[in-house]
Amino acid sequence: LWARIPGLIEQKKANAYEKAVSILKDLRDLAEQQNRRSEFEERITSIRNQYPTLHGLHKRIKQAGLF
C-alpha cells in the first residue's frame, strides 16, 4: 500500500489526495496493531517533507489526525 501513495500524491488532485489519506489511515491502524506507530510517523514526516508545497495534501493529512 505504501507504494501507491506517491503515485496518488503526484496526480495533484483533490480526489487522489483523499484516496492517499484513506490508505494512510488504514496503514496507521495497521501500524498501531503491530506496535509500529513510530515507523508510521517517520514515513508521514517523510511524505510531508518530500511534498512541502502541497498544502491541500498537508491539510488533509492533518484533518485525518495523521500528523
Side-chain angles (χ1 to χ4, degrees):
L1 290 174
W2 281 108
R4 294 184 59 198
I5 302 301
L8 290 167
I9 293 171
E10 289 169 10
Q11 290 179 34
K12 298 181 181 176
K13 296 182 179 178
N15 63 339
Y17 292 164
E18 295 290 339
K19 180 65 176 169
V21 168
S22 176
I23 292 170
L24 288 170
K25 289 194 298 191
D26 290 341
L27 288 167
R28 176 200 54 204
D29 294 344
L30 180 61
E32 288 178 352
Q33 290 175 356
Q34 297 177 344
N35 293 321
R36 297 173 71 179
R37 178 68 189 231
S38 63
E39 291 175 41
F40 172 81
E41 290 173 355
E42 288 174 14
R43 292 187 87 164
I44 288 291
T45 299
S46 177
I47 289 169
R48 288 175 50 106
N49 291 338
Q50 187 175 354
Y51 302 99
T53 61
L54 300 181
H55 302 292
L57 173 64
H58 289 244
K59 177 182 172 185
R60 286 168 177 81
I61 287 173
K62 187 173 182 178
Q63 286 176 335
L66 298 173
F67 190 83

